[in-house]
Structure formats: C-alpha cells, structure tokens
C-alpha cells in the first residue's frame, strides 16, 4: 500500500488520486472529523467520560481508508472504461469501413468500361475519368482513382497529378498477388505528398492476363475526423489517435497536440489505463487492437485514447442520472451483483461502529447518574458531542457510498450509450454502402445495353445472372441481386435457385418508386417488412433505376436484398455490453428499433424482428443523432439502457432525401425489481441519541434511559439500568416452551436471560430481525435480566410532574407501563409519546424471583 496524506491507498491510485476531486473532498471532510475525534478523545481521557471511544475512533479511521480506496478505484475504473470504449470503437469502426474497400477494389477492377479502356489503345481517358467521377459521387470515401498499365504508366485517373508513370512496388505486388487485394499505407510517387492508404488490384482480360493495375486512394484523414467527432462530445478533452504497427501516429483528433507522423514509445502502445507521460504532460491512456470483421483483420493498427490526468476524473454523473427517479436509483443500488462484497460491507460496518458508539455514549450517560452534578453536566455534554461527531462521520460515509453507487451506475449507463452509439454508427455506415452499391451496379454497361433491347434472350439473361453472381460473391452481405425490366418482371438473379423467380413480376411497393427515379444519384429502399424475396422475413431491399446507354430513359432496375437477419445480429452482438475482462455480460441485450417501437433486430429472443419493443417516452422523442440513458423496468428486471438514434453517414440519410430514423439500444441487467424493492431502508431516528435534554421546569428530575422496539418509544429509569451490551455472544435456548426468551448471555461472570421485550409488549409478535442491543436491568437490585431492543435512544431528564401515570385500572392489570411523558414525542411522530416501563412490573409479569442484594429503589410518580 502507498501512503497519501496519512491514508493508505491502493498503489494503482498513487499517481492519480490527487486529481480525483470527489475523493479529495471526502478525504478532507473525514480528516477534519478525525481531528475532532482527537480533541474529544483528549477531553474524554481527562474526564473519564469516554474511555471506550478509542476503539471507535480507530474503527472509523480504518473505514475511512477503505472507503477512499473504493472511491478511488471506482473513479479510476469508470474513467478507464470510457477510454477503453473510445479506443476500441475508433479502430473497430475504421476496420468495418475498410472491409468494404477490400470488396470495392475487387469489383471495380473487373469493371467492363475499365477493361475495354485498357484493351483499346485509342480509348479516351476523359471518358474513363468521367466514370471515375461518377463512382466517387457514390463512394465518397475515395480521394483518387488511378489506373496503370502493367509497366507503371498512368493510363487514366480521377484528379490531375504531374506524374505520368510510377515505379512503386505496389504495382508489381498488385500484378502478382494471390490475394484478392493489396492494402498499402505509405508514401507514393503518383499521389500528393504524405502517407496514403491505398487498395489496389490487377485488371485482367477474359483469359486472366494482366491488363493493368487499379488503385483506390482512401480518404483516411477525412474518415478518421468523422469517427473522432462522433466519439468526442463538446467539452471532452480526450485525445484520440490511430497508430500503426511501428508506433507512428496515422491520424489524430488533435493534430496540434499529437501530430500525425509522431513516433510513440512502446509503453504507450501497450497502455491499459496507466498513467503515461507524453510531451511533458501526464495522461491516462488506453490502446486497443481492432476486432477482426468477417475475417478481415484490418491494417493491424491500434486505437489510442488519452486524457490529461488533471481532467480525467471530472464527474458527469449528474447529467446521466438527473432524470432518473430517486426511488428507482435507490432500488438499483441495493443489488449485490453491482458492487463488490467489500464495498457492500462498508455501510454495514459504519452502522455497526455507530451502534457501538451509541451504546458507549448511552452507557456513559447512564453512569453519570451518580456523579457530582457539575462533572455530570460536563460529561453529558461531552458525550453528546461524541455521539454527534459519530453521526456526522456516519453521514459522510453514507453520502460517499451514495456517490460511489452513482459513479458505478453512471459508468454502466455511459457504457450503454457508447455501445448503442457504436451500433447505430455501424448500421448507418453499413447501409450507406448498400445505397452506394445499388446505384453503381445500375451503371453496369452490360445491364444498360441488354435491358434497352425489346426483350432479353436466354443467353443475355444468363450473362446478366453471371455478372450478378460475380458481384454477389464479392459482396456477401446480400442473399440475392435481382435485375428487372420496366414492367417489374425479373430478368436475372444471382440466387442459385432463381429459376422460379426469373420471369415473375415483382409487386412490392419499392419497385414503382425505383422505376420512377430520374437520375443516377438517386436510390430507394423498402420499408423494413417481410418480403417474399427474403423467405417472408423482414429486411431492407435497396434499388436503383437502370437507364439506357444514352441516359434518355429508364429501362429497368436492380434490387439488392440485404441479408438483414445475420448482418444486424452481428452488428448488435459486437455492441453488447462487456465486463472488464471483455466478456459479454449475462442477461445483456442490444437491439435496433424503429421510432414506432417495431423491432428490426434484437439479441434477446423476447423481441423477434417486427415485434414491438416497449420504448420509453424519452426514447420516442430523442431526435436524429440524439443519445440518452435511463434505468428501466422490463419484465420485473432493472436494466441500464443506453439509446442512440441514427444520424446518417456522409450523404446517406443526411443530404440524399431519405428518412429512416432507427434507434440502437444497449441494455445492461441491474437485477430483479423485487430484490431491490424488498431491501430494508436504514433507520435515521437516532438523530438525538445520547443527548440529554430536560422536560419540564421542576427541580425533582428523573433520568430516563430510552430505546426503541419497532415503532414504540420506551424508557426505563436509569436507576434500574446497568448498561447496554451487544448481542454477539447471545446464545439461543432450545427446547423451551416460552417464546419470550431470546437466549442467554454471560455477563460479568453470571448467566443472564435475555427476553424479547417486543413479545412481552405484544404477545405473538414476530421476532425482530434487526435487534442488536441488550439492555441489562436491575431486578431486585441484581443484574439478572436482559431486554432485547432494536435501538438505543436519548437519555432525557424529566420533571416528575411531567410524567402522567397510567390509570389505576390499567395498573391493576398486566401492563408494564407506569407512565407516559407529556409533551415529549418521538421525532417525526406527533402521536407516539414516550412510555416508561417499570422493572418491578416486568418482574411480576415474568415471575422473576431473584433474591434482593440491596433494597430496590422504587420510582415514585405523581399520584402513583
């Protein structure tokens, strides 16, 4: 353990605890109370009034260290979890994007226009440049497209560049690679200065001979800025970066603080939530490798997240929890599954320490009865201050535990929002590609030419089907690609079992919208609904119109059937909440849901596709790009639910006129509603415990030692009380017929019986579960009886004339009460007055026959 300002702390906190303002605030408050304890301890030793306080002080000090360590560890864990999520999301989103690029290069390198251009020596580069431009209008993720002859001469390109040839090794690798693409990041001689991310592959003729090499330059910096912007809210001082295998920064959310090209040390690449010094400043850092996507591992880069240490632990729980009902939050924080056993014991330990202190103060007040009046008054005042300091200390523990609970719950809510935002971002980006695919494939020269003819021959239909199958082989997210004419009749399909489909007519509503498209930039997609093209399961179908070679009219369309069930399921699986070890949390689920509550996909079988999900009012009114977190009750289970609504991606659903607002939901189980609501609330009625107050103005005073039994406030004259003791050594008595005896306990060398006082007062009452105090009373002057009570109360001085005796009729019966105190009621209860029990009546009730050791001191009441 390390030492921080007199407190032993976990070594993992030694470098950062000084920046945790919440922890520091509680340390200062508890430190001030420790100073008060020191002063009270000294006064107690001088007066002899608080000889039992040393153990209480030490116990509170030990608990202070435990509490601050828990606060620090949870605060650190929350900040590290947020960094980890940002680092992982930033690299995973990129890898999913780049996976699409590996398919693009394979498809575009087989484009007929490109092949024909390379085969024709007199072909116009301007025409191919126009085709490249149209491609980039659809796939705006590319900065340039360059077409090479096998010897490296540049035959055509999208943007002007002074270079006319290239000798870069990328070209020779693309000519001969056995893989389906070449991925390269670095400098080139055919693109602007700076490192570029390029996907390349050879263009072949029908015989497999190399005609040239096609290269697609990815807009990496632009893409990463969009990813970083989605992960960093306003005011977020985190720094995000993408780092290659050599430790060089590829992209950064802040080029000023961490410029691309910076070479980072290995310890930063291995960071897992440690404190790292970079450029003279300390950061909390986390680096994460990418998760492979459908077998594609990515370039091998890392996602890196850092935050300056002085800003790493700023609290934002209020924003996340402000709208959550306080009772719901209280119920959730009672669940043992959310908090470690050591953390769960802190409130109970603090309560037990306070109970021990209350008992010590209570006993001290009882012992002052025979002390001289001046010394007794000072001692009682001192005891009151001791008890008050204990209550303040316990209150700070309760408050800090409450904040700690909020920190843990807020971390779960933040994680839910992050996972939901990740899921909806992946969905938007994925469907963006689908919108691009259908529009680009609609420009296929073969499709345009053949559909322009009055009717397709069987050979032409087979040729179209072969092209569709080739495309579908590259883009495996589709179950079928369908070509249809202006009557909606299917003329070709990529599916293996397409015989029954070809020749049939499509009657789905999206077909008419598709055939009404008047330009190559537009597309349509179906409602998310069951379709015969997807075995009557719900999915999306994207479609674009096919125009004749002269662009004068629509001659048909292409529909692409998205394999929604496994694709959405895979996206949601990746968005499931995970624990610190990266394992999916049991009972967690994620979902895509429409604004009307209709489910698109869900990992929980309770909500199959097209069923209704119980959206909350907050989720329904979230708005495009909005995010929220809440604690909800679903089927008698509490869940921390994060929600993010679709914001679109690039042109998709932002400037293309399409609207389809989807919610992503990530839910973390918090426990059963019944368990949370059944947990007891702690009592706070001992707010005046141990305090001596005077009731009435008379000089003939009687001190009453009070206590609580259930809802009853009772007292016994202090002359008849020896002291209060704990219940730890109470031994049950078995085999007896009486239900009044709670057990026996050794006390000062003698065995005494301990009674269920509640059952004496109310025969047949349930045995109390929380009774922790035994009051030892004198019967016939002898300490031979204990009374089991719930809690100890104050010890007031009551003028005898303020005590109203019970009626003679009641006194003649079995009542234990000898009087009630007029004008003295329990705090917060205007009906419950203090009732005084007579020990002699108690003895008569139970038939106690203890021999007298000294004359019994009877209590004389007015009129009694």
């Amino acid at each position: 353990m390390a030492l921080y300002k007199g407190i032993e702390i976990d070594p993992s906190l030694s470098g950062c605890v000084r920046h945790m303002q919440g922890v520091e605030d509680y340390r200062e408050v508890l430190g001030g109370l420790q100073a008060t304890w020191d002063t009270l301890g000294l006064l107690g030793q001088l007066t002899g009034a608080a000889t039992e306080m040393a153990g209480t002080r030490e116990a509170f000090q030990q608990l202070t260290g435990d509490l601050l360590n828990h606060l620090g560890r949870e605060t650190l864990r929350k900040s590290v979890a947020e960094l980890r999520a940002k680092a992982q999301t930033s690299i995973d989103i990129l890898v999913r994007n780049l996976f699409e690029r590996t398919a693009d290069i394979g498809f575009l390198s087989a484009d007929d226009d490109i092949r024909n251009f390379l085969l024709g020596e007199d072909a116009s580069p301007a025409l191919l440049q126009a085709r490249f431009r149209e491609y980039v209008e659809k796939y705006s993720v590319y900065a340039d497209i360059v077409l090479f002859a096998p010897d490296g001469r540049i035959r055509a390109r999208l943007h002007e560049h002074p270079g006319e040839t290239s000798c870069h090794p990328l070209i020779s690798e693309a000519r001969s690679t056995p893989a389906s693409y070449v991925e390269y990041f670095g400098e080139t001689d055919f693109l602007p200065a700076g490192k570029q991310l390029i996907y390349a592959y050879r263009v072949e003729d029908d015989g497999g001979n190399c005609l040239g090499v096609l290269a697609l330059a990815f807009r990496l910096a632009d893409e990463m800025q969009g990813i970083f912007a989605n992960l960093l809210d306003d005011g977020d001082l985190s720094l995000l970066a993408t780092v290659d295998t050599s430790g060089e920064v590829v992209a950064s959310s802040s080029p000023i603080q961490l410029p691309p090209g910076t070479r980072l040390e290995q310890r930063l690449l291995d960071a897992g939530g440690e404190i790292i010094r970079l450029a003279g400043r300390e950061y909390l850092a986390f680096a994460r490798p990418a998760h492979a996507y459908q077998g594609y591992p990515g370039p091998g880069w890392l996602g890196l997240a850092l935050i300056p240490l002085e800003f790493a632990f700023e609290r934002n729980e209020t924003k996340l929890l402000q709208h959550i009902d306080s009772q719901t939050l209280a119920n959730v924080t009672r669940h043992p599954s959310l908090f470690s056993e050591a953390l769960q014991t802190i409130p109970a330990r603090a309560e037990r320490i306070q109970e021990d202190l209350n008992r010590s103060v209570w006993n001290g007040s009882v012992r002052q009865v025979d002390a001289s009046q001046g010394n007794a008054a000072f001692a009682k005042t001192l005891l009151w201050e001791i008890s008050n300091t204990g209550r303040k200390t316990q209150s700070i523990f309760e408050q800090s535990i409450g904040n700690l609970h909020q920190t843990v719950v807020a971390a779960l809510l933040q994680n839910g929002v992050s996972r939901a935002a990740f899921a909806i971002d992946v969905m938007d980006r994925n469907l963006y590609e689908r919108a691009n695919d259908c529009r680009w494939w609609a420009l296929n020269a073969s499709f345009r030419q053949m559909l322009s003819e009055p009717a397709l021959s069987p050979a032409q239909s087979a040729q179209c089907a072969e092209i569709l199958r080739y495309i579908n082989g590259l883009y495996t997210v589709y179950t079928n690609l369908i070509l249809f004419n202006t009557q909606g009749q299917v003329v070709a399909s990529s599916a293996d079992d397409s015989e029954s489909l070809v020749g049939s007519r499509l009657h789905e509503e999206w077909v008419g919208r598709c055939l009404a498209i008047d330009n190559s930039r537009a597309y349509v997609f179906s409602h998310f609904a069951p379709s015969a093209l997807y075995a009557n399961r719900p999915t999306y179908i994207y479609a674009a119109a096919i125009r004749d070679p002269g662009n004068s009219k629509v001659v048909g369309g292409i529909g692409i059937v998205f394999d929604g069930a496994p694709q959405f399921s895979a996206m949601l699986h990746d968005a499931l909440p995970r624990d610190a070890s990266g394992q999916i949390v049991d009972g967690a689920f994620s979902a895509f849901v429409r604004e009307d509550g209709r489910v698109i996909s869900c990992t929980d079988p309770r909500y199959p596709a097209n069923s209704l999900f119980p959206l909350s009012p907050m989720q329904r009114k979230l708005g495009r790009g909005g995010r929220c977190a809440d604690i909800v009750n679903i089927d008698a289970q509490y869940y921390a639910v994060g929600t993010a609504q679709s914001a679109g991606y690039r042109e998709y659903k932002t400037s293309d006129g399409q609207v389809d607002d989807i919610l992503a939901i990530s839910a973390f189980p918090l426990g059963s509603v019944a368990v949370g609501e059944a947990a007891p609330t702690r009592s706070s009625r001992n707010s005046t415990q141990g305090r001596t107050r005077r009731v009435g103005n008379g000089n003939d005073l009687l001190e009453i030692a009070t206590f609580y039994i259930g809802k009853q406030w009772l007292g016994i004259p202090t002359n008849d009380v020896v002291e209060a003791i704990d219940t730890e050594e109470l031994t049950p008595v078995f085999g007896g017929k009486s239900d009044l005896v709670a057990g026996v306990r050794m006390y000062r060398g003698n065995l005494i019986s301990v009674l269920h006082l509640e059952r004496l007062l109310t025969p047949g009452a349930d045995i109390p579960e929380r009774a922790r105090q035994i009051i030892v009373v004198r019967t016939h002057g002898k300490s031979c009886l204990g009374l089991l009570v719930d809690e100890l109360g104050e010890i007031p001085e009551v003028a005898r004339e303020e005590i109203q005796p019970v009626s003679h009729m009641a006194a003649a019966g079995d009542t234990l009460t000898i009087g009630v105190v007029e004008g003295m009621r329990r705090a917060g209860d205007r009906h419950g007055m203090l009732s005084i029990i007579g020990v002699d009546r108690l003895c008569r009730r139970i038939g106690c026959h203890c021999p007298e050791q000294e004359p019994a001191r009877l209590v004389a009441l007015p009129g009694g």
Side-chain angles (χ1 to χ4, degrees):
M1 299 291 282
L3 196 64
Y4 174 69
K5 296 185 178 180
I7 303 293
E8 288 189 345
I9 62 169
D10 190 308
S12 66
L13 303 175
S14 59
C16 56
V17 67
R18 68 184 186 277
H19 297 290
M20 299 177 179
Q21 190 59 49
V23 178
E24 183 65 13
D25 289 345
Y26 282 117
R27 188 203 61 77
E28 289 182 0
V29 172
L30 290 169
L33 287 172
Q34 286 293 332
T36 302
W37 281 114
D38 291 340
T39 301
L40 293 176
L42 177 60
L43 292 174
Q45 291 178 3
L46 292 175
T47 62
T51 56
E52 300 174 31
M53 197 181 67
T56 302
R57 178 191 178 283
E58 291 175 2
F60 271 135
Q61 188 171 23
Q62 176 62 45
L63 199 57
T64 295
D66 293 347
L67 173 66
L68 294 180
N69 273 286
H70 279 293
L71 281 170
R73 282 193 290 265
E74 291 299 336
T75 300
L76 177 61
R77 187 177 291 115
K78 178 176 181 290
S79 296
V80 168
E82 291 176 5
L83 282 179
R84 175 178 180 150
K86 290 173 182 176
Q88 190 71 68
T89 299
S90 68
I91 192 63
D92 284 350
I93 288 286
L94 176 64
V95 166
R96 280 155 178 75
N97 190 312
L98 299 184
F99 169 76
E100 299 285 349
R101 313 291 66 91
T102 64
D104 288 351
I105 187 61
F107 171 71
L108 193 57
S109 62
D111 184 79
D112 285 343
D113 287 353
I114 294 176
R115 294 171 66 183
N116 292 336
F117 173 82
L118 291 173
L119 288 168
E121 289 297 329
D122 57 349
S124 170
L127 292 177
L128 195 59
Q129 184 182 47
R131 185 157 179 78
F132 289 165
R133 187 177 298 111
E134 191 156 22
Y135 184 81
V136 172
E137 285 180 356
K138 313 293 188 296
Y139 298 88
S140 58
V141 295
Y142 294 113
D144 206 349
I145 302 176
V146 185
L147 180 62
F148 301 92
D151 60 4
R153 287 180 297 116
I154 297 176
R155 296 291 310 277
R157 64 182 306 153
L158 176 62
H159 296 303
E160 296 296 329
H161 187 274
E164 296 181 355
T165 187
S166 173
C167 57
H168 199 281
L170 171 69
I171 298 173
S172 60
E173 184 179 357
R175 286 199 308 261
S176 59
T177 180
S180 56
Y181 63 90
V182 173
E183 185 177 62
Y184 169 79
F185 178 71
E187 300 277 355
T188 68
D189 57 0
F190 56 88
L191 291 171
K195 291 190 174 182
Q196 307 282 346
L197 180 59
I198 301 168
Y199 290 84
Y201 198 63
R202 57 185 171 269
V203 180
E204 298 175 335
D205 62 15
D206 292 338
N209 300 307
C210 179
L211 300 175
V213 171
L214 183 70
L216 302 177
F218 183 66
R219 298 173 64 189
L220 179 62
D222 176 74
E223 179 64 20
M224 293 312 304
Q225 284 304 115
I227 292 175
F228 295 151
N230 283 343
L231 293 172
L232 298 175
D233 297 327
D234 292 340
D236 191 338
L237 297 175
S238 300
L239 180 61
L240 303 180
T242 307
V243 185
D244 69 13
T245 53
S246 69
E248 183 176 325
V249 175
V250 172
S252 168
S253 63
S254 177
I256 296 177
Q257 297 183 73
L258 191 58
T262 303
R263 184 80 63 178
L264 301 178
E265 297 180 11
Q266 185 61 43
R267 59 191 179 89
L268 193 53
L269 307 184
D270 297 333
E274 299 87 9
I275 298 173
I276 300 294
R277 182 174 290 275
L278 178 65
R281 192 175 192 180
E282 288 185 320
Y283 292 86
L284 201 63
F286 213 115
R288 290 295 299 165
H291 291 127
Y293 181 66
Q294 298 197 18
Y296 170 66
W301 297 345
L302 299 174
L304 176 65
L306 310 97
I307 187 169
L309 200 55
E310 62 267 33
F311 303 116
F313 309 108
E314 293 183 344
R315 298 189 61 181
N316 57 1
E317 287 86 349
T318 301
K319 182 179 178 181
L320 284 168
L321 303 173
Q322 60 186 356
H323 63 279
I324 296 175
D325 176 72
S326 59
Q327 187 58 53
T328 297
L329 186 59
N331 292 341
V332 166
T333 57
R334 295 187 185 117
H335 279 277
S337 60
L338 294 183
F339 309 101
S340 65
E341 182 177 354
L343 178 57
Q344 293 175 52
T345 63
I346 287 182
R349 289 167 61 194
E351 184 179 5
R352 181 59 61 89
I353 293 170
Q354 183 62 32
E355 285 180 347
D356 291 344
L357 177 62
N358 290 344
R359 185 166 55 247
S360 176
V361 170
W362 197 85
N363 288 337
S365 297
V366 168
R367 285 194 293 269
Q368 298 305 315
V369 174
D370 297 326
S372 64
Q373 185 173 355
N375 187 60
F378 175 79
K380 290 178 180 179
T381 300
L382 177 61
L383 289 169
W384 158 244
E385 289 300 328
I386 292 171
S387 181
N388 187 42
T389 302
R391 287 193 302 276
K392 289 180 180 178
T393 305
Q394 185 182 8
S395 176
I396 294 299
F397 281 121
E398 291 174 352
Q399 180 182 349
S400 60
I401 288 295
N403 285 337
L404 183 54
H405 286 166
Q406 291 185 10
T407 297
V408 173
V409 173
L412 297 177
L413 291 172
Q414 182 61 55
N415 180 260
V417 172
S418 298
R419 304 311 296 164
F422 170 78
I424 200 65
D425 197 12
V426 168
M427 184 189 204
D428 281 344
R429 289 163 177 271
N430 191 299
L431 297 183
Y432 157 84
E433 303 290 345
R434 313 298 61 96
N436 294 341
D437 290 347
C438 69
R439 290 182 294 166
W440 179 249
W441 298 337
L443 296 176
N444 182 277
S446 297
F447 295 160
R448 298 173 70 179
Q449 181 64 47
M450 285 184 278
L451 283 173
S452 297
E453 299 181 10
L456 265 70
S457 67
Q460 288 175 318
S461 179
Q463 183 182 350
C464 289
E466 183 61 31
I467 296 172
L468 293 176
R469 280 193 289 271
Y470 172 76
I471 298 172
N472 209 163
L474 292 173
Y475 295 84
T476 56
V477 296
Y478 304 110
T479 59
N480 202 357
L481 308 182
I482 301 165
L483 213 60
F484 53 91
N485 60 25
T486 53
Q487 286 76 47
Q489 184 181 35
V490 177
V491 298
S493 167
S494 67
D496 293 334
D497 56 349
S498 61
E499 292 81 5
S500 61
L501 181 60
V502 174
S504 65
R505 181 160 294 178
L506 302 174
H507 297 285
E508 300 190 19
E509 58 82 27
W510 56 267
V511 177
R513 290 190 286 123
C514 172
L515 294 173
I517 292 174
D518 61 0
N519 63 79
S520 64
R521 296 184 301 278
Y523 68 97
V524 300
F525 59 89
S526 70
H527 301 300
F528 184 80
S531 171
L533 299 174
Y534 194 55
N536 291 317
R537 294 176 295 167
T539 192
Y540 286 111
I541 299 174
Y542 284 76
I546 298 176
R547 305 179 72 81
D548 68 343
N551 284 323
S552 62
K553 62 179 180 179
V554 173
V555 295
I558 183 170
I560 56 179
V561 183
F562 185 57
D563 194 6
Q567 294 300 320
F568 288 139
S569 178
M571 295 178 203
L572 292 174
H573 182 272
D574 290 342
L576 284 169
R578 297 173 184 267
D579 59 24
S581 63
Q583 299 300 310
I584 295 173
V585 176
D586 288 341
F589 70 87
S590 54
F592 289 129
V593 182
R594 294 179 55 84
E595 280 189 308
D596 61 0
R598 193 69 61 181
V599 173
I600 291 175
S601 181
C602 183
T603 60
D604 191 321
R606 289 178 295 178
Y607 303 105
N610 237 25
S611 65
L612 285 175
F613 185 86
L615 291 176
S616 69
M618 179 184 297
Q619 290 171 317
R620 290 182 182 275
K621 65 181 182 181
L622 195 55
R624 175 164 290 198
R627 301 177 184 181
C628 70
D630 202 357
I631 296 175
V632 299
N633 178 346
I634 301 177
D635 294 341
Q637 292 284 324
Y638 283 123
Y639 288 88
V641 176
T643 307
Q645 184 160 321
S646 169
Y649 171 66
R650 293 186 178 272
E651 305 81 21
Y652 178 67
K653 295 197 297 187
T654 60
S655 60
D656 58 8
Q658 301 290 351
V659 177
D660 187 36
D661 291 329
I662 306 299
L663 302 174
I665 295 170
S666 179
F668 184 103
L670 301 177
S672 168
V673 171
V675 171
E677 293 180 347
T681 55
R682 298 188 65 252
S683 171
S684 59
R685 62 187 175 192
N686 61 349
S687 58
T688 58
Q689 195 284 326
R691 181 178 182 180
T692 298
R693 59 168 161 150
R694 180 170 296 193
V695 179
N697 297 318
N699 293 322
D700 188 7
L701 302 174
L702 180 67
E703 285 198 341
I704 307 296
T706 74
F707 49 89
Y708 298 97
I709 296 288
K711 296 182 179 180
Q712 302 179 79
W713 188 23
L714 308 170
I716 296 176
T718 53
N719 286 330
D720 294 324
V721 173
V722 182
E723 66 175 333
I725 58 178
D726 61 48
T727 60
E728 290 183 1
E729 298 180 12
L730 181 64
T731 302
V733 176
F734 302 102
K737 296 181 180 180
S738 174
D739 62 352
L740 299 180
V741 180
V744 295
R745 189 188 191 283
M746 292 300 299
Y747 177 71
R748 297 183 180 177
N750 296 314
L751 194 66
I752 64 171
S753 296
V754 179
L755 305 182
H756 283 304
L757 183 55
E758 185 165 14
R759 286 191 164 181
L760 276 171
L761 299 170
T762 309
D766 293 336
I767 296 176
E769 297 180 357
R770 299 184 71 250
R772 295 180 181 174
Q773 307 287 350
I774 298 173
I775 295 177
V776 180
V777 297
R778 295 185 179 94
T779 58
H780 303 291
K782 181 180 179 181
S783 303
C784 64
L785 188 64
L787 303 177
L788 190 63
V789 304
D790 291 353
E791 294 181 54
L792 303 174
E794 58 184 293
I795 302 180
E797 294 178 334
V798 181
R800 291 182 187 272
E801 60 266 25
E802 297 293 333
I803 302 175
Q804 301 298 316
V806 298
S807 67
H808 293 290
M809 183 179 295
D814 291 336
T815 180
L816 302 180
T817 305
I818 60 176
V820 295
V821 181
E822 179 67 20
M824 188 173 183
R825 301 180 187 275
R826 185 173 62 233
D829 186 352
R830 61 189 182 89
H831 299 294
M833 290 189 295
L834 172 63
S835 299
I836 302 175
I837 293 176
V839 174
D840 56 334
R841 294 187 180 182
L842 177 63
C843 289
R844 288 200 301 269
R845 167 75 73 83
I846 64 175
C848 177
H849 300 292
C850 296
E852 292 191 28
Q853 289 186 337
E854 56 182 88
R857 294 179 287 183
L858 300 179
V859 179
L861 299 180

